[in-house]
Amino acid sequence: MTVNVLAHSATRPALVRRPVLLAATACALSFGAFWIAQRAAGVSMIDLMVYRAEGAAVRAGADLYAMRATRARLPTTYPPFAALLFTPLTLLGVPEMRTLATIANLALLVALAHLSLRLAGRERPGAALWVAALAVWCEPVWTTLRYGQINLLLAVAVLWDLTRRPGHRGAGAGIGLAAAVKLTPALFALFLLLTGLVRARAQGWNTWLRQAATALAVFAGATLVAAVVLPRDSRRFWTSTVFEADRVGHAEDTANQSLRGVLARLLHTGDPGTWWTVAAAVTAALGLCAAVRAEVRGERAWAALSCAVTALLVSPVSWSHHWVWCVPVLVLLGAKRLRRAAAGALFCSYAPWWVPHGAGRPELAQNGVQMALSALYPLAGAAFVTAAALRPWRTSRTS
């Protein structure tokens, strides 16, 4: 009996290593094919070049928000704190920077897959590697790496907070830092605050309020540091630039997968104005209600992802690569066996790019079919939040 137990125990590590080795091999092959495909496509990593230019502007003491970078003359759009974080990029040559950025983003994709599985309660040996191997071909992920974007970093920072053990003292810091780099993640702090206020009726001061307070403190601290180091740029950003929604591009651009983009294409106008303001306000209220309700009933995964999707919907501009949140959404739907094939096909179809786009603003003249194709991500997001809101009440905290 003892011999059999020992023999069984000795073989378990080998059995565990085998699926992990298989998953690692599949992931390495997928990433290798991705790397070759990206290089064959001649990607410029244009956003990474803008980040490097922002870092150079900081080091040179130049006007950050008057700067234009690359042949496309792209402006700075993030808060000043982001530019401080980009200064190390100026210490690297461009080829080395692109290579390291790609490696870092692929590593972050594996981390995002791991955190997504943890959020869904489906952690298994090697599972994150399988998810990453498939997710790298989703359009939002592909485009994030193509442009050298920071979307994966921000998503990992937020999920790192939301998957920590309950009551962890550092929870909230990731959200605060992410919001200091790019404002959209601030909605997660509001989600925590609202949940905490609901819970406060019965519990008083609670973990949700503490996380929200931590996020706010970290955000304020990072913003203050940027204000001390870059006072002129901070003043300009917080008094004017932050309100310039058109600074990053045309609202109707096919790549803009937010409600504002959908309405701009639907109404054939570059400025949907009041229509968007009302739609965004209603969507934010309903989305946050769905997220808070899910969190209160113990479904952290549905709550967190409802908040993420709501932020993407109501942001003035949510480029298609901002939708890397499709990775945890697909993991959750797969874990629950809820139309995972259809959802996966949607984000791997590249359908928003099937319609006329580019110079001349052809999006302003889209027909009905083209509008539907260029609104697929917002439509899928709205369906997800609706599903979260309509889910029956559950008491389990592992959903």
Side-chain angles (χ1 to χ4, degrees), residues 61-329:
D63 188 335
L64 188 60
Y65 295 100
M67 181 209 76
R68 293 294 184 272
T70 74
R71 292 180 181 179
R73 296 188 58 78
L74 297 176
T76 302
T77 58
Y78 295 167
F81 180 71
L84 290 179
L85 298 184
F86 296 148
T87 53
L89 297 178
T90 62
L91 304 177
L92 300 170
V94 171
E96 294 81 8
M97 177 185 68
R98 288 174 173 167
T99 298
L100 289 175
T102 301
I103 293 172
N105 264 329
L106 290 174
L108 285 167
L109 177 58
V110 175
L112 179 62
H114 170 71
L115 293 173
S116 300
L117 289 162
R118 179 186 294 177
L119 183 71
R122 292 295 187 271
E123 288 183 277
R124 300 289 187 276
L129 295 170
W130 282 112
V131 171
L134 297 173
V136 74
W137 301 101
C138 290
E139 188 274 338
V141 177
W142 168 279
T143 311
T144 285
L145 278 99
R146 173 189 175 188
Y147 292 148
Q149 263 281 344
I150 59 171
N151 306 305
L152 291 167
L153 176 62
L154 299 180
V156 166
V158 171
L159 280 190
W160 180 61
D161 265 354
L162 297 179
T163 56
R164 286 175 152 189
R165 60 175 174 77
H168 193 288
R169 292 188 177 276
I175 292 172
L177 281 174
V181 172
K182 188 174 181 178
L183 295 179
T184 311
L187 195 69
F188 286 95
L190 181 57
F191 151 68
L192 292 171
L193 174 62
L194 293 175
T195 304
L197 291 175
V198 170
R199 286 293 192 182
R201 299 175 183 174
Q203 300 179 10
W205 181 257
N206 53 65
T207 57
W208 292 275
L209 290 177
R210 183 167 64 246
Q211 288 182 38
T214 300
L216 177 60
V218 171
F219 169 80
T223 302
L224 181 60
V225 168
V228 171
V229 179
L230 303 170
R232 177 188 59 190
D233 295 321
S234 294
R235 187 182 310 110
R236 178 172 177 179
F237 179 82
W238 294 109
T239 59
S240 62
T241 304
V242 69
F243 303 109
E244 298 171 5
D246 292 329
R247 182 180 178 85
V248 297
H250 300 303
E252 78 279 359
D253 196 312
T254 297
N256 185 10
Q257 294 290 299
S258 70
L259 282 175
R260 186 165 174 261
V262 172
L263 287 172
R265 294 186 289 270
L266 180 65
L267 300 174
H268 304 292
T269 176
D271 182 14
T274 304
W275 288 100
W276 170 68
T277 303
V278 173
V282 171
T283 301
L286 294 177
L288 283 171
C289 283
V292 171
R293 181 177 182 270
E295 180 71 7
V296 168
R297 71 179 180 238
E299 296 188 318
R300 168 56 64 90
W302 286 94
L305 297 180
S306 293
C307 183
V309 170
T310 299
L312 291 167
L313 290 173
V314 304
S315 175
V317 176
S318 290
W319 300 128
S320 67
H321 53 77
H322 294 166
W323 285 78
V324 293
W325 285 96
C326 71
V327 175
V329 167

Side-chain angles (χ1 to χ4, degrees), residues 3-71:
V3 173
N4 289 337
V5 171
L6 291 174
H8 179 69
S9 300
T11 59
R12 286 189 64 187
L15 293 174
V16 170
R17 284 196 300 270
R18 196 170 300 165
V20 173
L21 180 61
L22 180 61
T25 302
C27 188
L29 290 173
S30 180
F31 282 6
F34 168 84
W35 192 294
I36 293 170
Q38 286 262 308
R39 294 303 173 271
V43 297
S44 63
M45 303 187 78
I46 190 170
D47 287 345
L48 182 64
M49 298 303 295
V50 174
Y51 300 157
R52 190 174 192 268
E54 291 180 25
V58 169
R59 293 187 63 185
D63 188 335
L64 188 60
Y65 295 100
M67 181 209 76
R68 293 294 184 272
T70 74
R71 292 180 181 179

